[in-house]
Amino acid sequence: MKSYRLEHDSMGEVSIPQDALFGPQTQRAVNNFTISPKQLPWPFIRALAWIKQAAAETNTALGLLDEKSGEAIRDAASEIAGRLSGTFSGSGLPDRIGDQHQYEHQ
């Protein structure tokens, strides 16, 4: 039996799989916008992580991003590219899922 955790945000309470690495807004996107069983391919997700990592390093070096934020983004991108395959939710087709996840962890 799969276990869940309850999380709260501005829209209220939502159940999220216990092992999920995302929060309530991404879970709502999964619940409401899953229009295809197809997932984004792992090589595509890994490539996006590498792009985020390179952008964080470049923007930190240029002084456009503070060191702490740059390091956090770089480390997260490295972890995604390295060991977190299969942990992403939702279809690759809905238009706004990426935005949902972007605002959860600010």
Side-chain angles (χ1 to χ4, degrees):
M1 184 173 169
K2 194 167 190 167
S3 60
Y4 292 85
R5 66 181 191 268
L6 290 178
E7 289 203 19
H8 304 268
D9 66 2
S10 62
M11 295 180 65
E13 184 176 272
V14 66
S15 294
I16 302 171
Q18 189 64 40
D19 59 350
L21 298 177
F22 51 81
Q25 293 174 346
T26 298
Q27 185 63 50
R28 282 197 183 81
V30 169
N31 294 348
N32 296 318
F33 301 110
T34 302
I35 59 174
S36 170
K38 293 183 179 181
Q39 300 286 314
L40 291 171
W42 169 241
F44 180 79
I45 293 171
R46 185 177 51 220
L48 288 177
W50 287 336
I51 291 167
K52 296 272 188 188
Q53 184 176 10
E57 290 170 359
T58 301
N59 286 317
T60 301
L62 292 172
L64 300 172
L65 187 63
D66 67 87
E67 190 69 37
K68 183 178 178 182
S69 296
E71 184 177 328
I73 294 167
R74 186 188 68 236
D75 291 350
S78 178
E79 188 171 12
I80 289 167
R83 69 174 188 92
L84 294 180
S85 67
T87 61
F88 296 90
S89 65
S91 164
L93 298 178
D95 184 34
R96 304 295 287 186
I97 282 182
D99 292 324
Q100 293 291 333
H101 187 71
Q102 173 185 351
Y103 296 115
E104 275 181 33
H105 301 288
Q106 290 185 352

